[in-house]
Amino acid sequence: IKRIYFTKTQTKLTKFQRAKNIKNAFKITKADKIKDKNILVIDDVFTTGSTVNEISEMLKNNNAGKIYILTVSRA
């Protein structure tokens, strides 16, 4: 997964604004490599889940297997 454009900081945004801010910010570069694979997504801070939700949705839409989320901190 590659970030295709940088977004403004999410720290002062509402849950709705965060989801909108992060929408389409990422791209799967090699979809054939994730088909039926179990994926671990690592995120530094989980606040509303907007980032991991966006990435998880992309992975599901590209036929990934199970998706696991690991965060270092929760706000």
Side-chain angles (χ1 to χ4, degrees):
I1 296 176
K2 180 178 180 181
R3 182 181 287 266
I4 54 175
Y5 70 87
F6 287 91
T7 56
K8 62 183 174 181
T9 182
Q10 304 260 88
T11 55
K12 299 197 189 287
L13 301 178
T14 67
K15 183 176 182 174
F16 175 77
Q17 291 169 324
R18 287 171 188 244
K20 186 176 179 182
N21 186 46
I22 206 77
K23 189 74 178 161
N24 299 318
F26 302 98
K27 176 182 176 183
I28 294 177
T29 57
K30 297 181 181 180
D32 59 316
K33 300 283 186 185
I34 64 166
K35 185 174 180 354
D36 300 321
K37 302 283 185 185
N38 296 334
I39 307 290
L40 173 63
V41 177
I42 301 172
D43 194 7
D44 57 349
V45 179
F46 185 100
T47 304
T48 62
S50 296
T51 302
V52 294
N53 287 338
E54 177 72 12
I55 290 172
S56 295
E57 189 67 29
M58 290 176 55
L59 291 168
K60 285 190 260 181
N61 290 340
N62 283 274
N63 303 310
K66 292 182 181 179
I67 301 165
Y68 300 94
I69 308 299
L70 173 68
T71 57
V72 177
S73 178
R74 180 165 183 179

